[in-house]
Amino acid sequence: QVQLQQSGPGLMKPSQTLSLTCAISGDSVSSNSAAWNWIRQSPSRGLEWLGKTYYRSKWYKDYAVSMKSRITLNPDTSNNQFSLQLNSVTPEDTAVYYCARDPRGGGYFDLWGRGTLVTVSS
Amino acid sequence: QSALTQPPSASGSPGQSVTISCTGTSSDIGGYNYVSWYQQHPGKAPKLMIYEVIKRPSGVPDRFSGSKSGNTASLTVSGLQAEDEADYYCSSYAGSNNPYVFGTGTKVTVL
């Protein structure tokens, strides 16, 4: 059974760097068909796609235009996981963060992590 | 990239049908057959219900069906059951620059 297990802090201060990890079981971060995504959800912004990483003979990383200056996704093949780093967080980054799998690069997400509530507050 | 537009709420009695619309543009829904729908219960992660406009993942009841016409996609839930009460979100591929856009969400209430 394929599962995604998220980990990372829930409370942060403004200007800090958010780091979240998504551990994959039952699939591989190096899959030649899947793409590994981060998505967040807040009452004010709804569901918002942040970025993805995927392997097609080499590693690719695509980011939402609105996040490009602050976001980094990294695959970790040794531990079969991938991570999100978001720099210079503000209270507007308060949201539930999900990792999710797009199984075929077909623009849909068939597997989601349980979500991590990240609160940014001084 | 603007969010796709959904009605805030929809409702029906048990056994009835409810249809949720999702309106976009020719740059997203109208341009690709990559519309998906998600069900989300309170405090839970979204669950894939429909992908590629009309396809159902294994395990999703055939009471759930999807369609698309022009820039608008729709999700129909037939034979409403109490457990169908949830928030529903549409999503569409929107091109390589900003690939995924989501809908504003619709709360379905089973009366």
Side-chain angles (χ1 to χ4, degrees), chain A residues 39 55 77 82 116 119:
Chain A
I39 296 162
Y55 185 76
T77 56
F82 63 108
T116 300
T119 302

Side-chain angles (χ1 to χ4, degrees), chain B residues 71-87:
Chain B
N71 298 336
T72 298
S74 298
L75 173 73
T76 297
V77 186
S78 306
L80 268 175
Q81 299 183 4
E83 61 261 34
D84 300 333
E85 185 162 296
D87 293 328

Side-chain angles (χ1 to χ4, degrees), chain A residues 35 37 39 41 46-49 52 62-66 68 98 102 104-110 112-115, chain B residues 33-36 38 40 43-48 50-52 55 89 91-93 96-103:
Chain A
N37 298 261
I39 296 162
Q41 184 176 30
L47 284 164
E48 183 181 14
W49 176 79
K52 64 178 177 180
D62 297 334
Y63 302 126
V65 170
S66 62
K68 221 164 214 177
Y98 294 100
D102 177 344
R104 298 200 305 246
Y108 61 93
F109 310 102
D110 70 332
W112 295 66
R114 294 181 70 175
Chain B
N33 286 323
Y34 289 126
V35 177
S36 51
Y38 303 87
Q40 186 177 34
K44 301 293 188 182
K47 174 187 175 184
L48 179 67
I50 295 288
Y51 67 100
E52 293 175 1
K55 298 178 181 179
Y89 295 90
S91 179
S92 176
Y93 182 73
S96 57
N97 270 352
N98 221 28
Y100 307 111
V101 60
F102 288 94

Side-chain angles (χ1 to χ4, degrees), chain A residues 52-99:
Chain A
K52 64 178 177 180
T53 186
Y54 54 100
Y55 185 76
R56 303 288 186 268
S57 301
K58 69 174 185 176
W59 287 103
Y60 293 87
K61 303 172 188 180
D62 297 334
Y63 302 126
V65 170
S66 62
M67 311 298 297
K68 221 164 214 177
S69 62
R70 297 197 293 138
I71 190 173
T72 303
L73 268 62
N74 281 318
D76 176 357
T77 56
S78 299
N79 294 298
N80 199 31
Q81 61 188 24
F82 63 108
S83 64
L84 164 71
Q85 283 195 343
L86 188 63
N87 301 327
S88 305
V89 297
T90 72
E92 285 207 350
D93 294 311
T94 294
V96 177
Y97 286 74
Y98 294 100
C99 57

Side-chain angles (χ1 to χ4, degrees), chain A residues 41 46-47, chain B residues 4-12 18-23 37-42 49 64 73-77 80 84-91 102-110:
Chain A
Q41 184 176 30
L47 284 164
Chain B
L4 306 174
T5 301
Q6 299 181 233
S9 62
S11 63
V18 65
T19 297
I20 304 165
S21 62
C22 171
T23 302
W37 289 91
Y38 303 87
Q39 177 192 66
Q40 186 177 34
H41 288 110
M49 305 302 284
F64 292 85
S74 298
L75 173 73
T76 297
V77 186
L80 268 175
D84 300 333
E85 185 162 296
D87 293 328
Y88 291 82
Y89 295 90
C90 59
S91 179
F102 288 94
T104 50
T106 299
K107 181 175 181 58
V108 169
T109 301
V110 181

